[in-house]
Amino acid sequence: MEKIPLIDLRAQYRELKDEIDAAFLRVMASGEYIAGPEVEGLEAEIAALTGAAYAVSVANGTDALALALEAAGIGPGDEVVTTAFTFFATAEAIVRRGAVPVFADIDPATYNMCPLDTEQRITPRTKAILPVHIFGQPADMSAFSSLAERHGLKLIEDACQAIGATLEGRPVGAMGDAGCISFFPTKNLGGYGDGGIIVTNNERIANEARLLARHGSRKKYFHETIGVNSRLDPLQAAIIRVKLKRLEEWNDRRRQAAEYYNNGLRHTPLRLPAVMDKAEHVYHLYAAQYEHRDELMERLKGDGISSGHYYPCPLHLQQALTFLGYKAGDLPVTEKTCAHSFALPLSPHLTREQQDYIISKVIQYT
Ligand SMILES: *Cc1c(COP(=O)(O)O)cnc(C)c1O
């Protein structure tokens, strides 16, 4: 058996090569390399997909978070309650705003931020809640919406891993004040470089985010405020639009692969990923937990099976965030999960033969 990567991006390209190459060449020949119809087309399509009234494309998911926070009025000294079980960018964007990330613990079954613990962390300085739909599973948005409403807080979704996921039939992204999506190549909808987008139903936030992402300018060479340069390239937009047509089918294939693992691994001592009631998970990652994870990952590697350590270090214990004053033991569920969780290969292009091989090896080693 050939080596099995965690996610097979070359297989994805092979499936769509002709269409992607044509889109690429179309942009190259167009003479328009910043903004233009490909970017506007993608913004309209992502707005439609997420049920949002507005979509503002930006350079990456991290900028989407920082600009959404800024557009929502989050600034220096404001506290934002979020999760420590996520990619670093979630907290980085908060700190870049001069705001203070406050970490709530997670639910051990879904890996998502726990609403009860979130409520306990709300203080008079709290201005926003920032749940992450981790690994592609929607966070408990009805609980977070009611918390935000009761405490008068902004609700921003980090949907970077979860495009296409739904909760009670509603797509993630535009459930709160704004949602942030990443087009990083390994994400469920990835470009061939960096990219991101903000979705929102709030016209004021949409206008403000667009203004900030375009040098604080609405009219060329006239600047109302200090912004940044954060744009999505037409080349990326054209490629992402090709892949977008496959997103639903690819997310279905991810779910089928996850079910196949769930079934094949059900008699092992692994703790398999749980799906929340009424949620449609899109399995950006298939993350399980196992006590002897490191040994298992090592043995799988010996058989050519990649697995991923998600996440080796929770955000509250990251060196860059020591100034926040957290210590080991502060978020027990997050820390225990970081010690035991790992991701098995999963992508729309993983074959049954590969999965059978992976399952047999996991059974053998556990
Ligand atoms: C990928 C990711 C980001 C950042 O996205 P980039 O496009 O890489 O900047 C933020 N949050 C989460 C949860 C992510 O997975």
Side-chain angles (χ1 to χ4, degrees):
M1 177 81 56
E2 256 184 72
K3 281 201 167 133
I4 306 176
L6 201 55
I7 163 172
D8 193 346
L9 290 178
R10 276 180 300 185
Q12 201 185 73
Y13 176 55
R14 280 196 300 272
E15 183 180 323
L16 293 175
K17 184 179 184 312
D18 292 346
E19 284 176 72
I20 286 175
D21 291 356
F24 181 90
L25 293 172
R26 189 170 70 233
V27 175
M28 292 305 285
S30 75
E32 267 187 285
Y33 310 122
I34 293 285
E38 295 288 353
V39 174
E40 283 165 23
L42 180 68
E43 286 180 343
E45 286 159 12
I46 298 291
L49 177 83
T50 55
Y54 309 94
V56 180
S57 59
V58 294
N60 53 66
T62 309
D63 277 4
L65 286 162
L67 291 164
L69 286 164
E70 186 169 2
I74 309 305
D78 294 342
E79 291 180 1
V80 179
V81 185
T82 190
T83 168
F85 192 75
T86 176
F87 178 59
F88 186 67
T90 311
E92 190 178 37
I94 297 168
V95 175
R96 286 291 296 273
R97 280 303 308 133
V100 183
V102 173
F103 297 114
D105 215 344
I106 58 170
D107 176 311
T110 63
Y111 307 108
N112 268 323
M113 191 160 112
C114 168
L116 284 176
D117 197 48
T118 299
E119 180 153 33
Q120 312 232 305
R121 315 253 169 190
I122 293 172
T123 75
R125 288 179 301 281
T126 308
K127 289 285 158 53
I129 308 176
L130 203 170
V132 179
H133 306 300
I134 201 73
F135 302 149
Q137 162 139 262
D140 188 350
M141 291 306 289
S142 51
F144 291 122
S145 297
S146 83
L147 266 186
E149 205 162 300
R150 266 189 287 132
H151 295 270
L153 308 173
K154 291 284 192 286
L155 179 58
I156 315 268
E157 293 167 68
D158 181 337
C160 284
Q161 301 184 358
I163 188 162
T166 63
L167 187 60
E168 297 178 20
R170 287 178 61 204
V172 300
M175 292 175 165
D177 293 285
C180 306
I181 291 163
S182 165
F183 299 126
F184 186 82
T186 57
K187 301 287 157 88
N188 289 27
L189 180 63
Y192 290 151
D194 280 307
I197 200 162
I198 300 165
V199 292
T200 179
N201 283 308
N202 182 315
E203 187 182 6
R204 204 199 52 75
I205 289 179
N207 288 341
E208 190 68 16
R210 194 174 290 282
L211 181 71
L212 290 167
R214 311 286 184 260
H215 295 292
S217 166
R218 270 180 254 262
K219 188 175 158 200
K220 204 168 183 182
Y221 302 126
F222 291 87
H223 303 268
E224 295 169 33
T225 186
I226 301 295
V228 293
N229 176 8
S230 185
R231 292 182 289 232
L232 181 72
D233 295 338
L235 267 177
Q236 297 302 339
I239 290 164
I240 294 162
R241 291 179 82 190
V242 173
K243 294 198 193 181
L244 180 58
K245 293 186 220 144
R246 293 293 205 288
L247 181 66
E248 208 179 305
E249 185 204 324
W250 282 354
N251 280 344
D252 266 338
R253 273 151 66 178
R254 287 174 179 273
R255 271 188 293 272
Q256 284 160 19
E259 255 170 55
Y260 200 72
Y261 273 140
N262 286 342
N263 191 47
L265 298 172
R266 71 188 188 283
H267 297 306
T268 67
L270 264 58
R271 183 170 183 169
L272 304 178
V275 181
M276 205 171 79
D277 215 24
K278 296 180 190 152
E280 195 151 61
H281 199 319
V282 290
Y283 292 98
H284 171 60
L285 291 170
Y286 183 88
Q289 294 175 67
Y290 183 50
E291 252 201 88
H292 310 290
R293 174 200 60 194
D294 295 345
E295 294 91 318
L296 175 60
M297 285 177 70
E298 204 47 47
R299 299 188 75 171
L300 292 174
K301 193 173 155 199
D303 289 326
I305 301 168
S306 305
S307 59
H309 202 162
Y310 293 92
Y311 286 95
C313 178
L315 299 195
H316 68 295
L317 301 179
Q318 292 284 351
Q319 186 186 339
L321 297 174
T322 46
F323 70 93
L324 294 172
Y326 288 86
K327 56 186 186 325
D330 285 344
L331 298 169
V333 183
T334 298
E335 290 166 34
K336 188 162 176 243
T337 306
C338 284
H340 295 147
S341 61
F342 70 107
L344 287 171
L346 190 137
S347 69
H349 302 86
L350 187 69
T351 65
R352 276 290 143 88
E353 192 194 1
Q354 288 174 317
Q355 265 195 301
D356 285 334
Y357 177 69
I358 296 164
I359 290 167
S360 73
K361 290 297 173 187
V362 173
I363 291 172
Q364 185 185 335
Y365 297 141
T366 57

